[in-house]
């Protein structure tokens, strides 16, 4: 049984560990997942392990990461959602989510993101969340707007080499 970091109606969040190499490969090793987050559409095994190490390091340094997500009922791994350091000096973190393809279209991204937004608003001193998406990822664009994020500008995102639409959500507007 994994330790639960936080929960929503259908999901629980845990922490990435060194033992999660298979889960990391299932997520970031899938080109359907990395199509919009990597320059050539995929991550090598080495890059997947680097991503896993980044998440573990983030948790230790900041108390958050893109936490792995599991279904409460079956404990099936469905992806990750959480926060990364963005501009903590100004109390801004980045919200992000990646789901395995079998979990797409079931409302898990929205449910997980709302859980993380609530966590950020009630359990941290953050004032704002940043989020961005690949310019062709219409599903992420739609979800960010539904969550209340406001478009700010397009910013260069080195992993894809493209200008990504960028958004902010003021946590003071969250009840």
């Amino acid at each position: 049984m994994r330790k639960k970091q936080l929960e929503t109606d259908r999901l629980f969040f845990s922490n990435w560990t060194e033992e999660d190499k298979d889960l990391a490969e299932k997520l970031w090793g899938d080109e359907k997942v990395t199509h919009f987050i990597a320059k050539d559409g995929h991550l090598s095994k080495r890059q997947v392990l680097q991503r896993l190490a980044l998440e573990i390091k983030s948790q230790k340094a900041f108390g958050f990461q893109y936490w792995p997500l599991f279904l409460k009922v079956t404990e099936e791994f469905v992806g990750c959602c959480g926060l990364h350091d963005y501009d903590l000096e100004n109390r801004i973190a980045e919200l992000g989510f990646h789901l395995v393809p079998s979990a797409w279209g079931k409302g898990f991204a929205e449910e997980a993101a709302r859980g993380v937004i609530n966590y950020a608003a009630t359990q941290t001193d953050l004032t704002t969340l940043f989020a961005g998406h690949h310019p062709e990822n219409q599903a992420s664009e739609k979800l960010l707007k539904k969550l209340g994020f406001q478009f700010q500008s397009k910013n260069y995102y080195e992993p894809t080499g493209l200008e990504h639409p960028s958004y902010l959500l003021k946590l003071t507007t969250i009840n």
Side-chain angles (χ1 to χ4, degrees), residues 2-91:
R2 297 183 71 103
K3 181 182 176 220
K4 295 178 180 176
Q5 182 69 26
L6 62 128
E7 297 182 47
T8 63
D9 288 344
R10 299 179 294 166
L11 304 168
F12 74 87
F13 301 62
S14 187
N15 288 320
W16 288 106
T17 69
E18 295 287 336
E19 290 75 44
D20 289 328
K21 291 179 177 104
D22 288 345
L23 295 180
E25 181 64 34
K26 180 177 181 178
L27 181 63
W28 297 306
D30 188 321
E31 289 189 21
K32 291 178 185 169
V33 175
T34 58
H35 174 74
F36 288 134
I37 62 174
K39 191 173 280 189
D40 60 1
H42 77 278
L43 299 177
S44 67
K45 284 192 182 281
R46 187 174 136 269
Q47 289 171 313
V48 169
L49 294 177
Q50 287 173 334
R51 181 59 192 246
L52 176 61
L54 169 74
E55 298 304 335
I56 294 167
K57 182 180 173 185
S58 177
Q59 185 67 39
K60 288 178 184 172
F62 308 112
F64 49 71
Q65 59 182 219
Y66 285 10
W67 295 292
L69 294 169
F70 300 87
L71 297 179
K72 280 182 172 180
V73 175
T74 63
E75 296 193 18
E76 176 187 352
F77 174 69
V78 294
C80 66
C81 181
L83 302 169
H84 273 175
D85 170 25
Y86 183 74
D87 179 4
L88 291 183
E89 187 174 305
N90 290 305
R91 300 190 308 178

Side-chain angles (χ1 to χ4, degrees), residues 37-40 156-162:
I37 62 174
K39 191 173 280 189
D40 60 1
Y156 180 75
Y157 182 66
E158 188 174 345
T160 63
L162 299 171

